[in-house]
Amino acid sequence: MKPSPPTAPSAPNTVEAPRGTVSTRAAFLREFIKAPGVVAAVAPSSAALGRAMIAGIDFSKASAVVEFGPGTGTFTRAVLGALPPKWLVSQGGRGRLIAIEYNGPIAEICRQNFPQITLKHDTAANVIKICADEGLGVDGRGGVDYVVSGLGWPSFSDELRTTMLEGAAAVLRPGGEFRTFGYHVGLLMRGAWHFRREVRRLFKTVEIGRVVWGNLPPAFVYRCVK
Ligand SMILES: C[S@@+](CC[C@H](N)C(=O)[O-])C[C@H]1O[C@@H](n2cnc3c(N)ncnc32)[C@H](O)[C@@H]1O
């Protein structure tokens, strides 16, 4: 597998982006007001949820991570902080972090905050093509180690939800993991239960983590292994 050229000059493996500054939070809220069904949250997730999302992952054994719906980058920041030094291609390593964000203004904030990653302004429904274009071909086995998702799953149509979940499962290698989160209040929505049925159909094991109280609203993490 040939890695794509670096998207940014070599940078140390530090995470310098500001943590939810007033301007990024204001931009997030503005985009939520414009498209509540797409953005699906009034504010970015907390750092506590970011830590829970990647708990137990050893990225030194990984070479490709895909993120769905990074928003202003809470989970991106958590992943970057957990990577070994010089892991990314943009830092001279062999690791790829590809984030797919649908909302244009939010994608631009993410791109500016994290120049060291590969940011795609696209829909996660296109993840198979995006990975193929990036040299992470889907040959029936998948070349991605982790898919980390910040999408608000209950808000989507069943068809779109299924397309994106099938895409995540297709790009993962056997044994690869799909991590995402849910809100307890979200379980009042029918789509949350369709989501659970679909991940149980597509993944070998599905674990639901403990409540993360340090998030508003409280959330939990799904850990789904292919
Ligand atoms: C609930 S917000 C979470 C943002 C961030 N991950 C966090 O936890 O703070 C969902 C994000 O997914 C993006 N999004 C929605 N639909 C998408 C799609 N089909 N493909 C990629 N991103 C999408 C939204 O624009 C938004 O930035």
Side-chain angles (χ1 to χ4, degrees), residues 33 73 122 147 159:
I33 291 165
D122 205 331
V147 175
E159 192 188 359

Side-chain angles (χ1 to χ4, degrees), residues 13 26 31 58 61 99 140 147 185:
N13 195 23
E31 295 309 310
D58 177 1
K61 298 189 179 106
V147 175
V185 290

Side-chain angles (χ1 to χ4, degrees), residues 28 37-41 43-46 49 67-75 100-103 106 122-125 149-152 156 160 164 181 183:
F28 197 92
V38 173
V39 177
S45 301
S46 66
L49 183 55
E67 182 177 2
F68 287 176
T72 48
T74 300
F75 301 159
I100 308 169
E101 171 56 54
Y102 183 68
N103 179 288
I106 293 179
D122 205 331
T123 168
S149 170
L151 299 182
F156 301 120
L160 179 57
M164 293 194 280
F181 74 98
Y183 299 133

Side-chain angles (χ1 to χ4, degrees), residues 155-168:
S155 311
F156 301 120
S157 69
D158 287 0
E159 192 188 359
L160 179 57
R161 192 181 302 113
T162 294
T163 301
M164 293 194 280
L165 290 173
E166 287 181 347

Side-chain angles (χ1 to χ4, degrees), residues 123-160:
T123 168
N126 290 334
V127 65
I128 294 176
K129 182 178 182 314
I130 290 168
C131 285
D133 289 350
E134 289 294 318
L136 300 168
V138 180
D139 52 5
R141 293 180 63 78
V144 174
D145 301 285
Y146 296 96
V147 175
V148 176
S149 170
L151 299 182
W153 292 104
S155 311
F156 301 120
S157 69
D158 287 0
E159 192 188 359
L160 179 57

